[in-house]
Amino acid sequence: MASFSNETWVMMSIVTAACIIGCLHVLAAYYREHTRLHDLRVRVVELRREYSERLARMNAVVDVGEADDDGVDVVPDTGGVNQSRQAA
C-alpha cells in the first residue's frame, strides 16, 4: 500500500471536509426551498379562501341592495353636451 506524506493527508482531509460541507449546504438549501414552497402554497390556499368569502359577502350585499332604489336620482342624458354651455 502506498504511503502518503503528512501534507498529502492534510490536503485530502481538507478536500473531503469541503465536499461534505458542500453536500450539507446543498441539502439545507433543498429543504429550505421545499419549506418556502410549502409555506407559499399554504398562503395561497388561505388567500383564495379569504377572497371567496369576501366575494360571497359582496354578492350578498349587492343582492340585498339591488331592491332598494330609494334616494337614487336619475339624471336625463343630454347627449354629452352641457346645456348651460350650448350656443344660442
Side-chain angles (χ1 to χ4, degrees):
M1 180 164 207
S3 176
F4 296 114
S5 66
N6 287 339
E7 292 84 14
T8 305
W9 280 110
V10 169
M11 290 304 294
M12 287 191 309
S13 298
I14 291 173
V15 170
T16 303
C19 289
I20 291 172
I21 290 173
C23 289
L24 291 174
H25 175 72
V26 169
L27 188 63
Y30 169 76
Y31 282 120
R32 182 179 56 238
E33 183 65 20
H34 183 72
T35 302
R36 188 194 65 80
L37 188 59
H38 173 72
D39 292 343
L40 179 64
R41 288 179 179 158
V42 168
R43 180 72 178 136
V44 166
V45 168
E46 290 174 0
L47 288 174
R48 285 181 179 166
R49 182 185 47 78
E50 289 175 11
Y51 185 70
S52 296
E53 290 173 358
R54 188 179 314 145
L55 283 177
R57 284 193 309 266
M58 287 173 54
N59 286 335
V61 170
V62 170
D63 291 342
V64 172
E66 286 178 335
D68 186 21
D69 288 337
D70 295 338
V72 176
D73 296 331
V74 178
V75 178
D77 186 20
T78 60
V81 178
N82 191 349
Q83 290 180 356
S84 64
R85 293 188 180 193
Q86 285 181 344

